[in-house]
Amino acid sequence: EIIQQLKQQGKNVIYAFWHGRQFLLVFSHRNRNICIMTSLSRDGDLQTRILSTFGYKLIRGSSSSGSFHATREIIREAQGLDLAFAVDGPRGPVNEPKPGIIFLAKLTGRVIVPLATASRHKKIFEKAWDKYQMPIPFTKTVVLHGTPMEIQRDDNSADKIKELKQTLDE
């Protein structure tokens, strides 16, 4: 309902979620005209191949290398598309949003929609920096859309990052 209302208002969104929680989102948000940035690494090659089969538009880059190019590409290539970002990456610390999503929302006028996922039974990869969570087959799962955040150009970015973190943690 949240997304339908925003679409009726002619708005595009930026989905924001934590690394390690994206497994369910790949399927739940497939074929919805969403653009995602993937890493320039070999892991990113694999991620790009997988995500493209689910109907995502992919742009290669990251906040640690190629960020200016990737941001420019997103603004140019994602006209009319929604965006999606794991906001605590690419290397953490886990559950600490980076300022890039606020910057992008200010530049593009897109509304940030926080996403959270949970699974009753899951495998947690403890050695992974993001404590990746893989749902056990046939377990109960949920994907929640949080209250949309409209970012104004003069908003304090640090305050908005804190607000986003609080929403995602809740």
Side-chain angles (χ1 to χ4, degrees), residues 6 9 11 18 28 43 50 56 70 86 103-104 106 133 138 141 170:
L6 291 169
Q9 297 169 16
K11 296 181 181 178
W18 294 136
S28 68
D43 287 348
I50 292 169
Y56 293 95
F103 175 75
L104 201 53
K106 285 181 178 186
Q133 296 185 14
F138 309 109
T141 62
E170 288 174 358

Side-chain angles (χ1 to χ4, degrees), residues 122-133:
K122 60 196 160 284
K123 164 77 174 148
I124 300 174
F125 294 85
E126 295 292 341
K127 291 183 180 179
W129 74 266
D130 61 358
K131 306 292 186 237
Y132 194 89
Q133 296 185 14

Side-chain angles (χ1 to χ4, degrees), residues 11-164:
K11 296 181 181 178
N12 284 101
V13 304
I14 303 174
Y15 294 105
F17 52 91
W18 294 136
H19 260 99
R21 297 294 189 106
Q22 66 265 53
F23 185 86
L24 294 172
L25 299 175
V26 169
F27 185 75
S28 68
H29 286 72
R30 71 194 182 283
N31 298 318
R32 291 193 189 184
N33 295 319
I34 297 173
C35 181
I36 299 176
M37 184 185 304
T38 59
S39 167
L40 297 168
S41 69
R42 285 195 311 168
D43 287 348
D45 292 341
L46 176 61
Q47 188 179 36
T48 298
R49 286 194 302 274
I50 292 169
L51 291 172
S52 66
T53 65
F54 285 93
Y56 293 95
K57 178 173 179 61
L58 290 299
I59 294 178
R60 303 299 298 272
S62 77
S63 61
S64 60
S65 70
S67 63
F68 177 76
H69 171 73
T71 301
R72 189 177 68 220
E73 284 294 303
I74 285 172
I75 291 168
R76 192 181 75 201
E77 296 291 328
Q79 295 295 321
L81 300 176
D82 294 326
L83 306 174
F85 291 97
V87 296
D88 56 348
R91 295 186 188 102
V94 69
N95 298 351
E96 291 295 331
K98 303 293 186 289
I101 191 168
I102 305 300
F103 175 75
L104 201 53
K106 285 181 178 186
L107 273 180
T108 65
R110 286 176 170 84
V111 178
I112 297 174
V113 176
L115 292 176
T117 66
S119 303
R120 177 169 286 167
H121 302 287
K122 60 196 160 284
K123 164 77 174 148
I124 300 174
F125 294 85
E126 295 292 341
K127 291 183 180 179
W129 74 266
D130 61 358
K131 306 292 186 237
Y132 194 89
Q133 296 185 14
M134 175 79 67
I136 303 297
F138 309 109
T139 192
K140 291 188 179 189
T141 62
V142 64
V143 174
L144 298 172
H145 290 73
T147 302
M149 294 175 58
E150 298 216 29
I151 309 295
Q152 306 303 319
R153 286 190 182 260
D154 60 346
D155 283 345
N156 182 294
S157 294
D159 291 343
K160 290 298 177 180
I161 290 168
K162 288 178 188 173
E163 181 182 337
L164 178 59

